[in-house]
Amino acid sequence: MTVVATLSKNKNLKVLDKEQLLKDYRLAQVSRQASLMGRKEVFMGKAKFGIFGDGKEMAQIAMAKHFKAGDFRSGYYRDQTFMLAIGELTIEGYFAQLYAHTDVKAEPASAGRLMNGHFATRFLHDDGTWKELSAMKNSSADISPTAAQMPKLLGLAYASKLFRQNKEIQHLKQFSNHGNEVAWGTIGNASTSEGMFFETINAGGVLQVPMVVSVWDDGYGISVPNEYHTTKGSISEILRGFQRNDDQAGYEIFVVKGWDIEGLDRTYENAARIAREEHVPVLIHVIEMTQPQGHSTSGSHERYKSKERLSWELENDCILKFKEYLINKEVATEEDLDRIEKEAKTFVKEAKESAWKAFAGGIKTELEEAVSLIKNLPSTSTKFVQIAEELNKTLNPIRKDVISTVRRVLWMLRSEPESIKTELRTWYQNQQAINEDRYSSHLYSQSEDRVGNIQPIAVEYADDASLVDGREILQACFDNLLATDPRFFAFGEDVGKIGDVNQAFAGLQSKFGELRVTDTSIRECTIIGQGIGAALRGLRPMAEIQYLDYLYYALMTLADDLACLQYRTKGGQKAPLIVRTRGHRLEGVWHAGSPIGMILNSLRGMLICVPRDMTQAAGMYNTLIKADEPALVIECLNGYRLKEKMPSNIGEFRVPLGKPEVLREGNDITVVTYGSMCRIVMSAAEELLQMGIDIEVIDVQTLLPFDTDGMIAESLKKTNRVLFTDEDLPGGASAFMMQQVIEGQKAFYYLDSEPATLAGKAHRPAYSSDGDYFSKPSVEDVVEKIYEMMSEVDPIRFPEI
């Protein structure tokens, strides 16, 4: 139901298209009735929670008029009217999401994985290949954390700049029409207090990208009024310094009332033109909005709004104002509009009932199957009939009710003959497989381009291969990527002119230009957002975070947006961003951290690569550029000037991800490690050999995925002992590796000694070389730990040191 109200561009003459205006009114009423009925569905127990877009209808209809094919939205969970207006949401789909319907056809945004009000269009075909985004109206997948939609908005807009200015990618018509696409962002007024908002606004002004940011201002953030949120109580007032002028680039800033029909249309028409044609960012502050039902179903706004404010909201409701406008302009009579409202109620009610029937029908079928199986159990006990009847009487059952009951019945049957429980158990196992797809699939790519399908290519060396600094190998790798893939570009702090702080991009900006190798300001959160947005639009960005410890600035964006993107859209969107950083050993509290456990626990859904040297890192980059999954690559900070042989196939060799490498074969104990610790452990191996201890050293290479073929367990079959060591905190990545091997690979049964870990101290590393030595595992630490393990086995041969 896409509806457009047209106004003449002649500012002195408004020619109103009555038919279109009435369609606008009908759409506004449909959206409002969906909000009202949605709230009731929650209170009836048919949905868990509800958050709605009532009060925001007219501004969103105005915005939708100027949202064209190829444009992108990065928005806010109150944008239902907009999504209806652009034709990318149906009322059935709206209620399907409220009920958490797991059928992607019924609920294409997320197959029931996103809370209601969280919108997304499907950028990908079922096989994971890209659709023709330039011919579609696109919405990136919403996320709940306030202002978290802003970082990727920057990237969605930045991609338009690249497509317009970089002739080498203008042939990619599937993704862009010469960069004419606008990225549209929406945000609530209270969320503009978040740092992500300000960081994005600043970066957008610096980059001059075509994004239009709409602030829906209803005066509150849940119970807290604007004066507690924003200096001067107005985001547009405090951003006036961003207003462009004749001498300085900046923003165009508009303020418009959320019920001003003509003003909204003029504002969005101007904003779209400025952003689309001039690539100038625009801020639209939409004031005097209302929120008729309060923040959400979690409570009433009458608790915190004064009677005067509540009265004002009733009088200034945008739909009421629109109704008055239509009557005053003689577009329709009050009776006509009342009839439209009544028809909208009927339409929404029917759509709601259809959505509920579709949602509940599938569960009902499963419930009936379970009830029948339980009732027909070949057992003399009547208790199973009673259980089945109680299940059958469940009001508004969910799958948990069905599966929980079946599992408990199977508990009760544990002592019965196998023939009695086989049919019920088989049904349960089949349902578990189906539910695994419904609720747990697509954490990682399932397409043909997933990393596990990228064929490895061995590194090759000429007989006279030169020894070079590790950074030179990376430089040669990046040179090749830039030369062979026009979609690839790199950006970050100090990446451009000086070629990054460790010189891996040295000279490449002058060779390939500033659009391909780009400096940014100090803004880790939006560096990642810039990469996510560009990757969503079919490009292959590399976003650099200068040091691993600085990843904390961007952690929420990585965790809440990038890492879970494929999961929360059930394969509907992907952003194969490569995040490059460096860490482990150097100097001090903020430049030598190894928070790998934090990363592993936060970024499931990304690949976590931990190369031990720059050759290995280059091979990983060559693999990742062929795959369609996001990745974090953590280079060794102390390895850029260590000597390595220059490969002869620098642009071709690929390191397999998820496949450990045996660096040294041995028989007494297996040592599992990665990154900078590989050199430490290899040095310790030489010392231990002098003591009569022969260790096997395994570099896991990647922590996610982790040893997909069970190579480490095979090593334990030989050595029967294992030490996991790294520089993270105790209980961090070393514990993760232990769990993966001992539990995941069932390696406990091969052990003759207790598995052990050796990690860094619980504190961050102190400054100086001594601080490094006493904070993180040293050669001596590794030697003594392994010697202690062997001494326990054979104290005569290995007496206490």
Side-chain angles (χ1 to χ4, degrees):
M1 184 186 289
T2 304
V3 211
V4 176
T6 58
L7 295 176
S8 170
K9 292 184 180 180
N10 185 334
K11 294 183 179 180
N12 298 318
L13 178 64
K14 299 292 181 294
V15 180
L16 303 177
D17 186 323
K18 293 185 177 182
E19 182 180 350
Q20 292 297 331
L21 285 173
L22 289 175
K23 287 182 179 180
D24 278 353
Y25 186 75
R26 183 174 291 109
L27 175 59
Q29 281 289 359
V30 164
S31 184
R32 177 63 60 87
Q33 297 305 322
S35 294
L36 296 171
M37 292 186 196
R39 186 178 182 87
K40 291 179 181 177
E41 293 296 280
V42 175
F43 292 152
M44 289 175 62
K46 294 167 72 176
K48 192 171 185 179
F49 178 79
I51 197 160
F52 309 105
D54 45 313
K56 317 295 187 290
E57 291 90 352
M58 300 319 303
Q60 292 181 24
I61 289 173
M63 184 171 78
K65 299 177 205 173
H66 305 286
F67 189 94
K68 294 185 176 181
D71 285 358
F72 287 79
R73 167 191 170 274
S74 182
Y76 175 43
Y77 45 65
R78 301 196 190 278
D79 287 350
Q80 69 198 45
T81 310
F82 172 80
M83 294 300 294
L84 290 166
I86 65 169
E88 293 299 332
L89 177 68
T90 65
I91 294 298
E92 288 89 343
Y94 173 84
F95 281 100
Q97 189 176 72
L98 183 70
Y99 303 139
H101 196 158
T102 57
D103 185 345
V104 75
K105 292 181 180 178
E107 204 282 270
S110 70
R113 295 177 180 185
L114 294 176
M115 186 179 76
N116 88 292
H118 289 62
F119 308 111
T121 55
R122 302 193 73 76
F123 296 0
L124 308 176
H125 296 290
D126 290 343
D127 63 0
T129 57
W130 291 101
K131 293 183 178 180
E132 190 174 359
L133 302 186
S134 59
M136 298 164 48
K137 293 184 177 181
N138 306 287
S139 174
S140 63
D142 288 351
I143 46 184
S144 284
T146 54
Q149 69 270 34
M150 295 298 293
K152 70 180 170 191
L153 173 67
L154 178 72
L156 292 168
Y158 184 68
S160 288
K161 178 176 181 175
L162 295 179
F163 278 118
R164 178 170 290 185
Q165 296 185 14
N166 183 358
K167 294 181 179 180
E168 293 181 357
I169 58 174
Q170 289 180 355
H171 67 284
L172 300 173
K173 302 295 186 183
Q174 179 181 11
F175 299 112
S176 177
N177 177 23
H178 295 287
N180 291 329
E181 302 80 23
V182 173
W184 301 77
T186 64
I187 188 168
N189 52 288
S191 297
T192 63
S193 300
E194 292 279 12
M196 287 183 285
F197 173 80
F198 283 99
E199 188 173 313
T200 301
I201 291 296
N202 183 58
V206 169
L207 293 171
Q208 288 293 283
V209 292
M211 68 183 193
V212 177
V213 180
S214 294
V215 180
W216 306 143
D217 191 344
D218 55 33
Y220 285 81
I222 306 184
S223 66
V224 181
N226 272 353
E227 54 263 34
Y228 288 94
H229 288 291
T230 312
T231 303
K232 301 182 179 181
S234 170
I235 192 63
S236 56
E237 281 297 313
I238 64 172
L239 292 180
R240 285 298 173 190
F242 285 82
Q243 175 70 52
R244 64 175 177 164
N245 54 45
D246 293 340
D247 301 319
Q248 296 171 307
Y251 276 74
E252 198 62 61
I253 298 177
F254 297 100
V255 180
V256 63
K257 295 177 180 178
W259 49 264
D260 180 356
I261 308 307
E262 296 183 9
L264 286 166
D265 188 85
R266 283 195 303 269
T267 297
Y268 278 97
E269 180 182 44
N270 287 333
R273 177 187 55 77
I274 291 167
R276 199 179 307 280
E277 296 177 7
E278 302 178 41
H279 273 204
V280 168
V282 180
L283 178 86
I284 303 176
H285 185 191
V286 186
I287 61 173
E288 296 194 15
M289 284 186 149
T290 64
Q291 202 153 277
Q293 298 185 108
H295 177 264
S296 69
T297 54
S298 62
S300 170
H301 60 156
E302 293 177 353
R303 293 180 300 160
Y304 54 83
K305 289 179 181 176
S306 67
K307 291 181 179 180
E308 292 76 16
R309 173 67 191 190
L310 291 169
S311 176
W312 181 90
E313 290 199 7
L314 284 174
E315 294 171 2
N316 288 276
D317 184 292
C318 65
I319 295 182
L320 177 60
K321 288 285 191 179
F322 191 22
K323 184 176 184 179
E324 293 172 355
Y325 176 88
L326 294 175
I327 294 171
N328 291 336
K329 293 290 184 179
E330 298 182 352
V331 174
T333 66
E334 186 169 1
E335 291 75 17
D336 293 332
L337 300 179
D338 288 343
R339 184 178 65 256
I340 289 174
E341 180 179 354
K342 184 178 179 180
E343 291 170 352
K345 287 181 181 179
T346 302
F347 172 76
V348 172
K349 183 180 179 182
E350 291 175 353
K352 170 181 69 70
E353 291 173 350
S354 175
W356 175 256
K357 183 178 179 180
F359 166 73
I363 296 176
K364 183 179 180 182
T365 298
E366 294 167 22
L367 183 146
E368 289 172 347
E369 291 172 353
V371 166
S372 176
L373 287 168
I374 295 170
K375 279 186 175 181
N376 294 325
L377 283 170
S379 172
T380 57
S381 175
T382 59
K383 60 187 174 184
F384 295 118
V385 174
Q386 182 180 353
I387 291 171
E389 289 177 348
E390 289 178 357
L391 176 60
N392 203 31
K393 294 177 183 177
T394 305
L395 181 65
N396 298 329
I398 58 175
R399 287 196 172 89
K400 174 189 173 185
D401 299 317
V402 179
I403 297 301
S404 176
T405 300
V406 169
R407 293 172 76 174
R408 290 172 182 273
V409 168
L410 288 170
W411 296 354
M412 297 167 67
L413 293 170
R414 63 189 182 278
S415 300
E416 297 289 338
E418 187 65 30
S419 59
I420 290 180
K421 52 194 174 188
T422 296
E423 189 174 4
L424 183 63
R425 180 193 286 149
T426 300
W427 182 90
Y428 165 67
Q429 291 171 343
N430 289 337
Q431 287 300 309
Q432 286 297 84
I434 295 170
N435 287 329
E436 178 71 18
D437 175 72
R438 285 174 176 148
Y439 302 106
S440 301
S441 65
H442 291 86
L443 180 59
Y444 292 92
S445 172
Q446 296 184 12
S447 78
E448 287 300 313
D449 293 325
R450 62 187 180 272
V451 75
N453 284 353
I454 307 303
Q455 293 301 309
I457 298 175
V459 63
E460 297 175 0
Y461 298 99
D463 293 338
D464 59 347
S466 57
L467 282 174
V468 297
D469 289 347
R471 68 173 185 83
E472 295 180 68
I473 292 174
L474 287 178
Q475 183 187 35
C477 171
F478 296 150
D479 190 342
N480 179 78
L481 288 175
L482 288 161
T484 57
D485 191 339
R487 302 171 304 157
F488 176 76
F489 65 99
F491 59 99
E493 298 160 17
D494 298 306
V495 168
K497 188 174 182 65
I498 69 168
D500 90 40
V501 292
N502 296 104
Q503 299 290 284
F505 278 96
L508 297 184
Q509 185 184 78
S510 61
K511 182 175 182 179
F512 293 97
E514 292 187 21
L515 291 176
R516 304 292 303 283
V517 184
T518 307
D519 283 313
T520 71
S521 57
I522 299 174
R523 50 175 180 82
E524 285 78 11
C525 174
T526 49
I527 287 173
I528 295 302
Q530 194 171 332
I532 294 171
L536 280 167
R537 296 196 57 185
L539 299 177
R540 295 309 311 266
M542 174 183 281
E544 178 166 317
I545 301 298
Q546 197 163 82
Y547 296 106
L548 182 58
D549 297 275
Y550 299 169
L551 199 72
Y552 290 104
Y553 283 103
L555 185 62
M556 194 177 110
T557 299
L558 287 165
D560 287 337
D561 200 349
L562 182 60
C564 65
L565 177 63
Q566 290 231 28
Y567 169 76
R568 72 178 191 272
T569 60
K570 201 181 181 185
Q573 295 183 10
K574 63 182 176 182
L577 169 65
I578 299 172
V579 181
R580 176 185 179 233
T581 189
R582 52 192 67 81
H584 310 308
R585 293 176 180 263
L586 188 66
E587 301 290 350
V589 171
W590 292 287
H591 287 77
S594 297
I596 307 298
M598 175 272 291
I599 290 168
L600 289 170
N601 287 316
S602 301
L603 302 186
R604 297 298 171 94
M606 291 185 68
L607 310 174
I608 308 300
C609 305
V610 282
R612 66 182 179 272
D613 58 31
M614 303 312 158
T615 301
Q616 191 183 37
M620 290 177 177
Y621 290 128
N622 288 339
T623 299
L624 291 170
I625 203 67
K626 299 293 183 182
D628 68 350
E629 299 181 72
L632 173 67
V633 182
I634 305 168
E635 298 166 7
C636 296
L637 191 49
N638 61 354
Y640 293 107
R641 298 195 180 279
L642 296 180
K643 299 299 181 182
E644 301 179 39
K645 289 195 297 183
M646 176 63 75
S648 58
N649 60 339
I650 188 66
E652 299 172 8
F653 78 97
R654 302 180 201 142
V655 170
L657 306 188
K659 314 290 184 183
E661 183 178 353
V662 177
L663 303 184
R664 185 188 189 280
E665 294 189 357
N667 297 302
D668 293 327
I669 185 170
T670 299
V671 181
V672 180
T673 192
Y674 60 86
S676 292
M677 279 299 295
C678 290
R679 290 192 293 275
I680 300 292
V681 174
M682 290 296 283
S683 296
E686 298 303 316
E687 301 289 346
L688 287 163
L689 192 60
Q690 301 303 313
M691 300 178 181
I693 301 173
D694 184 21
I695 70 171
E696 182 148 299
V697 181
I698 297 180
D699 173 14
V700 301
Q701 301 202 97
T702 62
L703 289 161
L704 295 175
F706 184 90
D707 191 9
T708 54
D709 294 335
M711 177 192 294
I712 298 171
E714 291 300 313
S715 174
L716 297 196
K717 290 180 182 179
K718 175 177 61 173
T719 66
N720 309 118
R721 295 174 187 86
V722 64
L723 172 68
F724 300 92
T725 181
D726 76 335
E727 299 178 2
D728 196 5
L729 308 183
S734 56
F736 165 80
M737 292 189 291
M738 178 185 286
Q739 183 272 332
Q740 291 285 299
V741 174
I742 304 304
E743 181 182 1
Q745 298 180 8
K746 308 297 183 186
F748 173 81
Y749 302 101
Y750 312 134
L751 295 180
D752 292 336
S753 296
E754 181 181 357
T757 65
L758 176 63
K761 299 289 187 179
H763 56 75
R764 293 192 180 195
Y767 180 68
S768 83
S769 296
D770 279 345
D772 180 88
Y773 181 81
F774 289 105
S775 301
K776 293 192 172 186
S778 64
V779 172
E780 291 78 12
D781 292 330
V782 175
V783 168
E784 291 172 5
K785 181 66 176 180
I786 293 173
Y787 187 91
E788 178 186 354
M789 294 174 70
M790 296 304 297
S791 177
E792 183 182 7
V793 175
D794 190 346
I796 303 300
R797 186 179 175 193
F798 304 109
E800 184 178 349
I801 293 177

